[in-house]
Amino acid sequence: MKRKITLKHIARELDVSISTVSKALKNSEEIGQDTKDKIQAFAKLYNYRPNNIAISLKNKRTKNIGVVIPDIVHHFFTTVFRGIEHYANKRGYNVIVCVSDESFDKEVINMEMLANGSIDGFIMALSGETQLKNDYNHLKEVTEQGIPLVLFDRVTDEIQCDKVIINDEEASYNAVKKLIASGRKKIALVTTENYLNVSAKRAEGYNRALKEAGIPVDKSLILQLPYQQQDESMSENFFRKREIDAVLCVNEIFAVKCMGIAQKFGKRVPEDIAFIGFTDGILSRHSTPPLTSVDQHGERMGEIAAQMLIDKIESDHGEQDEEHYETKVINATLIERGSTLSGS
């Protein structure tokens, strides 16, 4: 049997990116005519068929859901997956999970693989590289084929689909207000690059809380780290050279690492410097001292995402209903522990 050709195969054979192939096959004006002609001719020669799943979905259900998450290091994504699987299993669905490792290409390949008749719909959080590239053609292709899609946590306005998020801006705002209320004035923010939408929203909340309290936003107190940071030298230099009495971190790994660095430099937590991190995970509960955390309710988020997707899969909707999408917002909760004065 002749092997089915994929976007990845075409990209490799023609020495172009998967994104370029996807855009060329959709006749995008972003791609030069010569490149488009070459890619389209190659795809035709090898009988490339991007939308074979549409027929499969009309004829039968697989009772499988595809889940694509950016990584398995951060506790949050594992809790979301647990919630998805728990709810889906109750409804008689199996869950197939893939990890994009923050890679655009892996995200595209995962979706292409799963959409090849394997699943009835997708639940996913966008990879960091996808948000950096701002390229969502692979998602548009899926939704245009009528495959239900639910985005969670890391979402984009570019795609019309159901979404589940937390109130990131407000959660960050409330966390910083808590620090200010305990007398902290030199409050740092440890965040990722702003192309990650959740980090941008949390930075907005940080800025708003400081401004409302009459505390100037000091850009030298904002540390931006690569999302998958390995080298701790940036963090060490940051804490060595600055007077800081509190820190808000956009994830728990950053928070626990930075708390350890501050303690290495002789700072007492929480007496000298207080810490709050996002994601109430295992690290937060077992760090020394235990970390005050913004609980994102990942398991609940997963259950809601699975419910939205399965309801969409099983609904007999007409043309008008297909255009109706919801964004559900979960309110985060601050869990106070020993890394802040009020929780000690």
Side-chain angles (χ1 to χ4, degrees):
M1 183 181 290
K2 193 174 181 181
R3 187 173 64 166
K4 181 182 182 294
I5 194 167
T6 66
L7 291 178
K8 182 183 178 183
H9 295 137
I10 299 172
R12 186 171 60 228
E13 289 295 326
L14 300 181
D15 196 26
V16 295
S17 71
I18 290 173
S19 173
T20 297
V21 174
S22 178
K23 289 178 180 178
L25 293 175
K26 296 176 81 67
N27 214 28
S28 168
E29 293 180 0
E30 295 177 45
I31 308 299
Q33 192 60 47
D34 287 347
T35 304
K36 275 196 287 192
D37 290 344
K38 182 170 67 172
I39 291 170
Q40 289 172 4
F42 188 93
K44 186 175 181 181
L45 177 65
Y46 286 93
N47 202 28
Y48 174 71
R49 292 286 183 270
N51 63 346
N52 62 337
I53 184 62
I55 299 166
S56 171
L57 282 172
K58 285 178 183 175
N59 293 339
K60 62 180 180 178
R61 293 194 188 121
T62 67
K63 302 293 279 187
N64 293 328
I65 290 172
V67 178
V68 184
I69 58 176
D71 69 51
I72 52 173
V73 174
H74 288 79
H75 182 78
F76 169 69
F77 292 118
T78 59
T79 60
V80 174
F81 175 70
R82 190 182 301 130
I84 292 170
E85 189 171 50
H86 180 256
Y87 183 86
N89 290 167
K90 285 198 300 185
R91 295 278 294 264
Y93 283 76
N94 298 310
V95 181
I96 303 170
V97 64
C98 293
V99 182
S100 67
D101 278 330
E102 302 290 3
S103 161
F104 171 82
D105 284 354
K106 282 193 73 172
E107 183 174 289
V108 172
I109 292 163
N110 286 337
M111 293 192 74
E112 188 175 66
M113 176 186 69
L114 292 172
N116 190 23
S118 301
I119 52 100
D120 296 332
F122 281 104
I123 299 173
M124 65 181 297
L126 298 169
S127 72
E129 198 173 28
T130 297
Q131 291 193 286
L132 176 61
K133 285 175 174 284
N134 202 32
D135 184 343
Y136 307 107
N137 278 292
H138 54 302
L139 300 181
K140 288 175 183 172
E141 189 171 292
V142 161
T143 56
E144 284 168 6
Q145 289 172 20
I147 302 174
L149 168 68
V150 177
L151 291 177
F152 73 89
D153 188 52
R154 300 196 199 161
V155 304
T156 175
D157 293 334
E158 297 288 317
I159 301 297
Q160 288 192 319
C161 66
D162 292 319
K163 295 160 191 170
V164 192
I165 57 175
I166 67 161
N167 56 336
D168 280 295
E169 194 271 350
E170 187 181 6
S172 176
Y173 168 80
N174 288 334
V176 176
K177 274 186 68 176
K178 195 80 177 176
L179 292 169
I180 293 168
S182 67
R184 313 287 174 160
K185 290 186 169 61
K186 295 177 181 176
I187 303 170
L189 173 68
V190 179
T191 184
T192 62
E193 295 93 337
N194 277 336
Y195 60 77
L196 289 173
N197 69 301
V198 292
S199 294
K201 290 286 185 188
R202 291 166 194 176
E204 288 172 16
Y206 166 85
N207 290 335
R208 178 160 70 95
L210 291 180
K211 286 174 183 175
E212 279 191 14
I215 300 172
V217 176
D218 183 351
K219 290 186 178 178
S220 73
L221 293 183
I222 298 176
L223 173 62
Q224 280 192 320
L225 296 172
Y227 190 74
Q228 294 176 303
Q229 185 219 9
Q230 300 296 327
D231 181 12
E232 292 186 2
S233 59
M234 288 175 67
S235 303
E236 289 185 352
N237 289 335
F238 182 80
F239 283 95
R240 184 186 290 114
K241 296 177 180 178
R242 288 164 182 79
E243 285 296 319
I244 298 167
D245 60 16
V247 185
L248 174 68
C249 298
V250 298
N251 62 55
E252 96 176 333
I253 292 177
F254 283 1
V256 171
K257 281 186 173 182
C258 289
M259 191 160 67
I261 290 167
Q263 289 170 323
K264 186 169 79 172
F265 291 148
K267 299 286 187 182
R268 297 170 302 160
V269 180
E271 292 83 2
D272 301 324
I273 184 167
F275 282 85
I276 297 179
F278 273 74
T279 303
D280 183 38
I282 295 170
L283 291 178
S284 300
R285 292 191 287 275
H286 296 289
S287 62
T288 306
L291 180 68
T292 294
S293 300
V294 177
D295 188 348
Q296 297 169 258
H297 302 294
E299 203 157 334
R300 177 69 182 138
M301 183 177 282
E303 289 176 352
I304 291 172
Q307 180 180 8
M308 293 175 86
L309 182 69
I310 293 170
D311 286 350
K312 188 66 64 89
I313 290 167
E314 296 187 349
S315 65
D316 295 318
H317 45 250
E319 289 296 320
Q320 290 181 334
D321 292 330
E322 288 180 15
E323 299 302 316
H324 176 67
Y325 302 109
E326 285 185 90
T327 296
K328 293 194 175 179
V329 182
I330 298 171
N331 290 323
T333 307
L334 189 67
I335 308 294
E336 294 191 71
R337 297 194 180 94
S339 69
T340 55
L341 279 172
S342 54
S344 60

